[in-house]
Amino acid sequence: MMAHLYPLIENEVNPYRDNVQGKANEPITVAGLLDRAKLTLGSTYEGGKPDWTLEEIYMRLERNAPRIAIIGGSSDHPAHIMDYQTSARAAIRIWQNGGVPFYFSTPVMCDGTAQSNQGMSYSLQSRNAVAQMVVNQLEAHSYHGAFVIQGCDKQPLGVVSALAHVDRVRRNRGEAPFFATFAPAHVLEGGTIPDDVIDELEALAKKAEFEGAQDVAFDLRDTMAYILQCSSNTAFQGVFERAYERGILTKEQHKYFEMRLAVATCDGQGGVCAFNGTGNSSRHLVAGMGLVHPAVELLTDPPSQRQINAVLDSFAGMINKERYGVSNIVAANIKNAIRIHSASGGSTNLMMHIVSAMLYGGYKFSLWDLDNIHHSHPIPDLFDYSLTEGRDIYSLAMQCCSGTSRGMETLFYELIENGVPMDQDVPTVAGKTWRERLEITRSLKAVNVKDNKVILSTPRRSFSGVDVLKGNFFESAVVKISGMPTPQLDQFDDKLAFTLYYENEDDANKSLLDSSLLTTIKGQKLFPHDLLLATLKFNNELEWNRLKDATYNELFDEMAEKGTMKIAVIIAGQGPVAFGMPEMFTPMQHINANCIMKKLATIISDGRYSGVTYGAAIGHMTPEAYEGGGIGFLQTGDIVHLQLRSRRIDFIDCSQLLLGNIVHEFSSQLKEERQSLVEERKQRMKIRQKLVAASNRMYGHTDAANGVVPIAIVEDAILDYEKDLLVQETNIVNK
């Protein structure tokens, strides 16, 4: 018998040995997969004469050769267009190494496609659905390991959660550890606006200026500066709608521009979009978890056979070793992952997904554990990412492919150099610890990149990442500090803001696209004169001295123009139970694409945000409005104190404010007075909730601070993530 690279699985349990039906059913699926793989690869096939006879497949199943699932995604997501090629290469190599390859795929929702429609209520739930489906298939077909083609949005951490969970279940049953590796889809190059469209858009901007709509002209030119991607299309859409409303362009012209921009957005072979959204944040995070082989971490094209071979050959040293079980690798690397997520400006979505992965892996973990790790040592901002200056994630991938950067290994190294305590002696799927990986110093330092550095050696700022907020009317919320440039952070930090309350995202979007929104607020005096003066005195006393005798209209206009008036746009009723916790990307994009509102408004919501969202975006608020959270008691005209650097937002007693006192109080009396209003709102939430299919509503789950996972998952999560770890095969260590 020919010796193979992979050892047999050391496990008394082998359903294929003990039950003939598996050996009768599955050999044809394996042979079919390998036949298709050879056909797909054509002249690039690297191997001898096919030897995958049904008899040989039968014998491998009988002997308990490693049964390895290739887990792909659905080809209706751009990240998975080329899965057929990657899975073909993986299947051939698994067979050559003595394993038995299988293939299945999961549905993968594209958050961009689902954005601003009912589909977004299914996005977060799809993470748990993916986890369930993957667990079902791995357990039903008794697979030992997985090669995961990592895509975008909720799929990556859904699969991480599933594999960590299967590994934990297998270990609890005394079976062999479940091993896996992730191969992220290549990075999709951002699109380019066609030259003739640039000329036409510039003509439109000049027309807007001529007609007195300088704000539309400014916002249009600002949006044109970005690489073309699905998120910038939304920004264009918002500007076009404002221009249409003011008679600057026709609906036909709007649709013409929309079409020309849309078809120029994506490259034909797909990939993960070039912005640092949830897709690429997940790429960095999963790499930080030790689950990505460096050969395939950051590519500009689908991986070659040589790269796939390097990934799959590493399994030889991982199979049967408990320290390489998925749940152990995730927990052993959790501090590394959180620090890489922070330093690279990762998505707020991952604040829930990190917690989810740990809970599915059997470890007690919450948002507060994540926050403690984040703030146990300062984590500098080492990621100079830009969508307007040639430093997107595609640029980083090009640097990695050219050999001048090593991606997350470079970031890991630079964090150490900046004094951040990284866990270097923990296992990774390269079959080496981080320390062993960093011993190879070629192209390791950030200074090796001469032009358009994305990863830095000298920090942009001494702090980074997503902060967890507390307040007197809620328990937890998050804000992406790394998504706020320092001048913008200064604009909103330690400021009093009027609340502008919306019961749902649809109402907020309509209002934020209304070019007369501020005029309406002023005309209805939704923010009373005396409170405008009181907030101005706190926010900018020099301006208060200048304007204290102004009329209401003069005061309002000056505060809006100077940015001294702050507005907290409250979008409630968007939590997991109420509406599936959709992303508030679109309303935040409408604010960011409006030069006036951008300096005035923040959003506070019990919903989520897109990974590409930037600006003063506060979300994940718990408890959610549907569950009686304080956000549901707010109403337009209330005042909150934004204290972002102190990581707090507090409700202000307006009567005390008028006396010159800043009193943080969210009184029981106020809640009693507004209880009937809250109940009316909940009834409307219940009606709106029926827009989401009952089968996919998120009842029986934890809240956003606890990962939004099924209650059964958190009940079984009893391990200590700092103590119950294997770093060396013979020792459980306390890190």
Side-chain angles (χ1 to χ4, degrees), residues 200-239:
E200 291 171 325
L201 290 172
E202 178 57 32
L204 180 63
K206 289 179 179 177
K207 181 180 180 183
E209 287 175 327
F210 179 77
E211 297 188 14
Q214 280 79 10
D215 60 315
V216 171
F218 178 90
D219 294 335
L220 184 58
R221 291 187 177 116
D222 183 61
T223 305
M224 289 167 63
Y226 287 79
I227 65 167
L228 192 56
Q229 55 189 341
C230 58
S231 59
S232 56
N233 277 306
T234 300
F236 273 117
Q237 187 176 32
V239 179

Side-chain angles (χ1 to χ4, degrees), residues 698-714:
M698 300 187 75
Y699 290 112
H701 287 65
T702 57
D703 65 12
N706 292 283
V708 193
V709 301
I711 295 296
I713 294 294
V714 77

Side-chain angles (χ1 to χ4, degrees), residues 479-552:
V479 61
K480 187 176 179 180
I481 292 293
S482 60
M484 298 179 70
T486 300
Q488 187 182 44
L489 183 58
D490 292 338
Q491 278 186 330
F492 286 92
D493 184 39
D494 197 23
K495 297 295 188 292
L496 298 183
F498 285 94
T499 60
L500 188 61
Y501 189 91
Y502 298 100
E503 290 190 6
N504 57 68
E505 181 192 3
D506 293 340
D507 291 348
N509 282 332
K510 291 174 187 174
S511 183
L512 291 170
L513 281 175
D514 183 354
S515 58
S516 62
L517 172 60
L518 290 176
T519 302
T520 300
I521 294 171
K522 180 175 66 173
Q524 296 180 7
K525 294 190 175 180
L526 297 179
F527 305 158
H529 193 170
D530 52 358
L531 288 175
L532 272 177
L533 281 171
T535 59
L536 178 60
K537 187 173 185 180
F538 182 86
N539 291 347
N540 190 319
E541 192 165 0
L542 286 176
E543 283 293 292
W544 174 79
N545 277 318
R546 185 174 72 86
L547 295 170
K548 60 185 177 182
D549 296 322
T551 66
Y552 179 83

Side-chain angles (χ1 to χ4, degrees), residues 331-511:
N333 280 280
I334 191 61
K335 294 179 182 178
N336 294 334
I338 289 168
R339 287 163 180 156
I340 282 175
H341 172 257
S342 179
S344 62
S347 164
T348 54
N349 274 311
L350 297 183
M351 301 295 279
M352 284 185 295
H353 303 337
I354 291 169
V355 174
S356 166
M358 290 293 283
L359 291 170
Y360 271 88
Y363 293 92
K364 291 180 290 187
F365 205 78
S366 73
L367 181 64
W368 300 111
D369 293 301
L370 192 163
D371 194 52
N372 286 338
I373 293 170
H374 180 204
H375 288 289
S376 63
H377 190 282
I379 304 171
D381 183 347
L382 294 173
F383 216 66
D384 195 17
Y385 155 83
S386 171
L387 289 175
T388 60
E389 299 173 3
R391 295 190 305 278
D392 59 15
I393 305 304
Y394 186 81
S395 298
L396 178 59
M398 286 196 296
Q399 292 163 12
C400 291
C401 291
S402 69
T404 57
S405 176
R406 287 181 25 204
M408 293 308 105
E409 287 183 345
T410 294
L411 183 56
F412 196 108
Y413 169 82
E414 296 297 350
L415 283 167
I416 294 171
E417 290 296 296
N418 277 274
V420 179
M422 305 296 284
D423 291 328
Q424 299 181 59
D425 296 313
V426 295
T428 75
V429 297
K432 300 176 180 178
T433 65
W434 286 100
R435 188 183 302 278
E436 291 167 333
R437 287 168 61 171
L438 300 186
E439 285 174 355
I440 302 170
T441 59
R442 181 178 56 83
S443 303
L444 184 59
K445 297 180 180 180
V447 294
N448 288 315
V449 177
K450 303 305 179 186
D451 299 313
N452 291 328
K453 293 179 184 177
V454 178
I455 298 173
L456 305 175
S457 54
T458 302
R460 295 197 308 158
R461 298 189 292 192
S462 61
F463 58 91
S464 65
V466 179
D467 272 336
V468 180
L469 307 176
K470 296 180 181 179
N472 61 2
F473 65 98
F474 65 97
E475 293 176 4
S476 67
V478 301
V479 61
K480 187 176 179 180
I481 292 293
S482 60
M484 298 179 70
T486 300
Q488 187 182 44
L489 183 58
D490 292 338
Q491 278 186 330
F492 286 92
D493 184 39
D494 197 23
K495 297 295 188 292
L496 298 183
F498 285 94
T499 60
L500 188 61
Y501 189 91
Y502 298 100
E503 290 190 6
N504 57 68
E505 181 192 3
D506 293 340
D507 291 348
N509 282 332
K510 291 174 187 174
S511 183

